[in-house]
Amino acid sequence: MKWEEVRDQYPNQYVKLAILDFHLEGDKKIVTDVALIDLIEDSKLATKELLKSKGNTIVYHTGSEKIVIEVRNPTGLRGIRL
């Protein structure tokens, strides 16, 4: 399902989604295709669901025109002592 379709069907709501397709633009992941997992009632519950999310599962508000996720590369090396 395209993000635009989710926005049209569920305006002004938090939704839990599985990311199916995306492309990278620099250090940003632009999500284009998603699967709706659940509707979320309020922002407090949305925050709890977001903190529990793993992998390609996200929580987003349909008020946003695009799903844009900042990609962070881990810095530093573990286990190396200088």
Side-chain angles (χ1 to χ4, degrees), residues 12-38:
N12 202 31
Q13 286 188 333
Y14 287 97
V15 289
K16 187 171 186 178
L17 307 165
I19 298 172
L20 301 178
D21 193 28
F22 66 90
H23 65 274
L24 295 173
E25 291 181 8
D27 63 346
K28 307 256 189 265
K29 182 189 283 189
I30 312 299
V31 178
T32 54
D33 199 17
V34 296
L36 181 66
I37 297 172
D38 200 6

Side-chain angles (χ1 to χ4, degrees), residues 15-73:
V15 289
K16 187 171 186 178
L17 307 165
I19 298 172
L20 301 178
D21 193 28
F22 66 90
H23 65 274
L24 295 173
E25 291 181 8
D27 63 346
K28 307 256 189 265
K29 182 189 283 189
I30 312 299
V31 178
T32 54
D33 199 17
V34 296
L36 181 66
I37 297 172
D38 200 6
L39 299 176
I40 301 174
E41 298 297 322
D42 60 39
S43 62
K44 287 184 182 181
L45 187 55
T47 301
K48 288 179 184 179
E49 286 294 321
L50 179 60
L51 292 174
K52 291 192 293 185
S53 297
K54 294 180 182 179
N56 284 337
T57 303
I58 61 170
V59 174
Y60 225 73
H61 194 273
T62 57
S64 302
E65 286 187 35
K66 292 182 179 180
I67 300 176
V68 180
I69 301 170
E70 184 177 340
V71 177
R72 296 184 189 181
N73 292 323

